[in-house]
């Protein structure tokens, strides 16, 4: 059995859905298809959720945008015989309307998950209807009933033992050889919807592969495979045809967007290979991540993470930055769900880089300022070069203003500000 994962970009319009169908239609073996929300629909649902919960906008127009987007795809796919699938999507819209017609609870995260899940529910409903229309029916599974998590809404933790039993029962391959289900979303034992963190569909595919002992996972992307730099930002990039799990974990942890950081571990634990292939050129091989000799010669790999916030804290009481201070800072980071992308200490300062989040910026800085002198740079970038050499460092950083620099044996990292004038 294999798992195929299709992200939002691969199903952003009717042509994308037709292309997905072409790819799966050549498959003869047992298959689970994991799909994300179409195009940018998760962002659109976030807008709706904020309008509903924080009263920051018009829920009606946000909702209409979501409906129109999906209806256009349905029209393109089904033409005049769209009634049946429209009935199914109308049921989902009704459920969503009921949520936004009632007053929100006190928990933003809880409301977020029960609204955001509609992106994946709509995409899988439309795609499965299209497959059936084309004569290749896939069994539709609501993943919330078999991927069971705790109640840590928006970043839920999967109960592997419980989910394993349920998934094995659900994906039995007895009456079908092809299933379609949602990435990113899951459920609790009391039937509440949870999610696994933004961009979490890769992780869903890896979890299912692990729990069901799949032969492989393939992530279908808009890039030809794993590249040594983002081809949308840099010229002369090259494909890395194979890479070890360990290297892939390091890269995704440094901010490489090609795979979600949590994806590798469930696959590595069971030695399941992960293929990254282009949905635009499905005939080409792409890349594979699997158990490999670490010394495999890799070219320099470059990750450019924008929209960063660099902070430098020094305690107001002039105490040295010691363990107690650090654990206090880490507790504040955990409270705001901020992840450190890079850190550096000196005797009396602690500097670190996180993703810039304007929504919480003021509250976060105020809380730090109670105990620390806070200096910050907004909108800096974090550059990582794995397998670096001096030439490549010069080439990539010589026109930049370097604020922080760190080097280890394999990795060089730079926090950089505006280009030098
Ligand atoms: N649709 C979700 C998101 O955009 C999950 C995913 O795409 O992996 O975050
Ligand atoms: Mg998505």
């Amino acid at each position: 059995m294999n798992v195929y994962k299709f992200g939002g970009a691969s199903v952003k319009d009717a042509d994308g859905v037709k292309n997905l169908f072409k790819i799966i239609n050549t498959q003869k073996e047992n298959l689970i298809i994991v799909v994300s929300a179409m195009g940018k629909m998760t962002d659109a649902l976030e807008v709706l959720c904020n309008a509903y919960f924080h009263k920051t906008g018009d829920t009606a127009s946000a909702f209409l945008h979501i409906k129109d987007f999906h209806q256009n795809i349905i029209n393109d796919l089904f033409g005049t015989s769209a009634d049946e699938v429209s009935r199914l999507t109308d049921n989902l819209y009704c459920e969503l309307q009921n949520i936004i017609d009632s007053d929100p609870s006190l928990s933003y995260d809880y409301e977020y998950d029960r609204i955001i899940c509609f992106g994946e529910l709509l995409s899988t409903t439309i795609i499965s209807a299209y497959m059936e229309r084309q004569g290749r029916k896939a069994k539709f599974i609501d993943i919330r009933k078999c991927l069971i998590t705790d109640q840590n809404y928006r970043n839920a933790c999967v109960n592997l033992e419980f989910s394993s039993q349920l998934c094995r029962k659900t994906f039995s391959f007895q009456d079908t050889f092809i299933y379609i289900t949602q990435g990113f979303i899951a459920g609790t034992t009391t039937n509440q919807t949870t999610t696994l963190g933004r961009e979490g569909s890769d992780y869903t595919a890896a979890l299912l592969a692990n729990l069901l002992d799949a032969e492989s996972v393939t992530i279908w992307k808009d890039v030809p495979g794993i590249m040594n730099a983002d081809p949308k930002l840099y010229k002369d990039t090259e494909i890395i045809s194979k890479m070890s799990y360990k290297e892939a974990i390091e890269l995704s942890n440094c901010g490489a967007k090609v795979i979600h950081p949590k994806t590798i571990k469930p696959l590595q634990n069971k030695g399941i290979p992960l293929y990254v292939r282009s949905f635009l050129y499905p005939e080409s091989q792409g890349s594979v991540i699997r158990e490999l000799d670490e010394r495999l010669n890799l070219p320099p790999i470059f990750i450019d993470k924008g929209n960063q916030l660099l902070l430098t804290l020094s305690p107001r009481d002039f105490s040295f930055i010691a363990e107690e201070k650090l654990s206090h800072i880490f507790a504040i980071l955990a409270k705001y769900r901020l992840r450190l992308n890079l850190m550096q200490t000196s005797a009396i300062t602690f500097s670190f880089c996180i993703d810039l989040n304007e929504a919480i910026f003021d509250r976060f800085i105020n809380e730090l300022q109670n105990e620390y002198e806070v200096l910050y740079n907004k909108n800096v970038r974090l550059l990582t070069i794995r397998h670096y050499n001096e030439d490549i460092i010069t080439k990539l950083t010589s026109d930049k203003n370097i604020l922080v620099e760190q080097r280890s044996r394999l990795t060089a990292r730079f926090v950089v500000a505006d280009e030098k004038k």
Side-chain angles (χ1 to χ4, degrees), residues 118-377:
F118 283 91
E120 273 68 17
L121 293 173
L122 283 160
S123 72
T124 44
T125 298
I126 295 167
I127 295 164
S128 93
Y130 180 73
M131 288 174 62
E132 186 166 357
R133 182 65 58 91
Q134 298 304 307
R136 184 107 197 226
K137 189 169 159 46
K139 191 161 177 181
F140 180 96
I141 303 294
D142 184 338
I143 198 74
R144 296 175 297 177
K145 301 209 165 55
C146 51
L147 209 53
I148 303 300
T149 69
D150 61 11
Q151 296 192 347
N152 189 18
Y153 297 106
R154 293 184 69 191
N155 195 16
C157 182
V158 177
N159 179 331
L160 291 174
E161 220 176 282
F162 203 13
S163 304
S164 162
Q165 287 170 23
L166 290 168
C167 284
R168 281 176 187 276
K169 224 194 275 161
T170 309
F171 296 95
S172 65
F173 288 97
Q174 265 163 18
D175 48 357
T176 182
F177 62 92
I178 178 158
Y179 291 90
I180 181 165
T181 195
Q182 307 78 31
F184 173 55
I185 68 174
T188 66
T189 45
T190 53
N191 286 330
Q192 308 298 338
T193 301
T194 53
T195 58
L196 307 176
R198 280 299 308 262
E199 309 298 332
S201 298
D202 293 354
Y203 183 44
T204 305
L207 281 169
L208 288 178
N210 174 300
L211 297 176
L212 299 165
D213 293 311
E215 273 154 51
S216 74
V217 173
T218 304
I219 297 182
W220 294 93
K221 297 201 65 91
D222 56 359
V223 286
I226 299 176
M227 314 295 290
N228 71 330
D230 184 344
K232 287 176 204 128
L233 300 177
Y234 294 90
K235 286 192 296 201
D236 304 328
T237 52
E238 56 181 291
I239 295 191
I240 299 170
S241 61
K242 47 190 174 180
M243 178 181 281
S244 68
Y245 293 118
K246 199 165 152 231
E247 182 71 27
I249 291 176
E250 290 288 352
L251 288 178
S252 63
N253 202 47
C254 289
K257 283 203 239 96
V258 66
I259 8 172
H260 189 276
K262 288 201 270 188
T263 310
I264 306 296
K265 203 70 197 136
L267 301 177
Q268 183 179 23
N269 286 353
K270 291 221 169 155
I272 300 167
L274 172 64
Y275 296 94
V276 178
R277 296 176 62 184
S278 163
F279 60 78
L280 300 168
Y281 305 99
E283 60 292 338
S284 66
Q285 280 303 308
S287 308
V288 60
I289 298 167
R290 58 182 165 81
E291 206 57 71
L292 280 174
D293 182 353
E294 289 309 326
R295 287 159 301 180
L296 198 76
N297 243 346
L298 290 172
I301 302 176
F302 183 48
I303 302 157
D304 184 339
K305 204 165 159 52
N307 198 34
Q308 297 293 293
L309 173 65
L310 173 67
L311 291 115
T312 299
L313 312 185
S314 37
R316 287 192 185 282
D317 58 8
F318 297 110
S319 60
F320 290 136
I321 282 278
E323 285 69 15
E324 308 84 76
K325 291 283 182 224
L326 291 176
S327 68
H328 175 244
I329 295 168
F330 277 96
I332 297 177
L333 287 167
K335 176 174 156 191
Y336 288 93
R337 296 184 175 210
L338 295 166
R339 187 178 163 275
L340 281 183
N341 296 327
L342 171 136
M343 62 179 153
Q344 192 149 298
T345 54
S346 79
I348 52 161
T349 63
F350 179 59
S351 300
F352 57 97
C353 217
I354 53 179
D355 290 352
L356 175 60
N357 178 347
E358 289 287 3
I360 55 152
F361 180 78
D362 290 339
R363 274 181 292 140
F364 173 63
I365 298 288
N366 283 341
E367 186 155 354
L368 289 172
Q369 278 170 337
N370 289 333
E371 293 214 20
Y372 309 94
E373 200 79 64
V374 180
L375 297 174
Y376 62 82
N377 295 71

Side-chain angles (χ1 to χ4, degrees), residues 5-8 35-43 46 112 116 119-120 183-185 197-203 260:
K5 181 257 165 173
F6 291 89
V35 192
S36 305
M38 293 171 144
K40 299 262 177 246
M41 281 298 109
T42 303
D43 294 339
E46 274 186 358
Y112 179 98
I116 220 80
E120 273 68 17
F184 173 55
I185 68 174
R198 280 299 308 262
E199 309 298 332
S201 298
D202 293 354
Y203 183 44
H260 189 276

Side-chain angles (χ1 to χ4, degrees), residues 254 301-305 382-386 411-414:
C254 289
I301 302 176
F302 183 48
I303 302 157
D304 184 339
K305 204 165 159 52
L382 173 58
L383 310 182
T384 303
I385 311 169
R386 289 272 293 168
T411 312
R413 308 191 81 191
F414 305 88

